[in-house]
Amino acid sequence: MDKYKDATGLFEDFNFKLVVIDSLLNRSPSFESELEILKEKYDKFEWYSTSGPIEEMLGFFSNLKLEPQDLDKVIELCFDGGNEIYHLIQPGWDGEDGQFDVQSVSGFEHLKNLKCVCYISTCDEEILNPLSNKGIEIT
């Protein structure tokens, strides 16, 4: 996972970008049709049961340019190892390692409508301090 980054430069931490993308999955994002094609492609194969991530999914999310209308839809973020996004990338992932841990929330300033964050796991709580310092509720 270390080789992946947000190729668009919007977020310092690729894993934080994944948390943001996860919050959009059920909000009709601009990238929905492209993602559906990828999901269909990998739903048909059993090979993913190996321990590694699907490189094409990682590449897609790395290069994904989140449109302003997508960023405006982000109202809540959930930091949890059970997020859907991780199972799209690595369907057999058990959440027991730190491969999707967030080290920085730099770039959250682009999420103008962000109101609250649900903190369960995938980062140290101190990582969220910049959010709470801006008045975003952490639960």
Side-chain angles (χ1 to χ4, degrees):
M1 290 296 298
D2 292 337
K3 69 179 181 176
Y4 287 93
K5 62 180 183 172
D6 178 8
T8 68
L10 197 61
F11 301 105
E12 180 179 295
D13 185 328
F14 176 67
N15 287 337
F16 179 58
K17 181 181 185 180
L18 293 177
V19 172
V20 172
I21 293 169
D22 185 78
S23 76
L24 292 167
L25 292 178
N26 296 317
R27 296 183 159 277
S28 302
S30 64
F31 56 88
E32 186 172 35
S33 59
E34 294 168 274
L35 182 57
E36 285 303 315
I37 291 167
L38 273 178
K39 285 168 63 174
E40 276 185 37
K41 179 179 179 179
Y42 291 104
D43 279 347
K44 297 175 184 174
F45 294 98
E46 295 293 325
W47 65 266
Y48 65 72
S49 61
T50 62
S51 62
I54 299 170
E55 294 291 325
E56 189 175 4
M57 282 288 197
L58 284 170
F60 173 77
F61 292 127
S62 176
N63 293 304
L64 179 64
K65 181 181 185 306
L66 294 172
E67 300 297 333
Q69 68 266 25
D70 292 324
L71 298 172
D72 288 347
K73 292 177 183 179
V74 178
I75 297 165
E76 178 179 18
L77 296 175
C78 183
F79 289 77
D80 182 19
N83 286 354
E84 179 182 356
I85 189 92
Y86 307 131
H87 300 285
L88 292 175
I89 294 169
Q90 189 169 336
W93 189 62
D94 62 8
E96 296 296 320
D97 61 38
Q99 95 178 32
F100 293 111
D101 284 1
V102 174
Q103 303 301 316
S104 169
V105 294
S106 180
F108 80 90
E109 302 83 3
H110 301 288
L111 309 173
K112 305 211 181 305
N113 296 319
L114 181 62
K115 304 284 185 246
C116 65
V117 169
C118 175
Y119 169 72
I120 299 170
S121 65
T122 67
C123 73
D124 292 330
E125 202 166 358
E126 310 80 61
I127 298 293
L128 304 177
N129 286 344
L131 298 166
S132 61
N133 292 343
K134 290 290 185 179
I136 297 168
E137 180 184 1
I138 312 288
T139 60

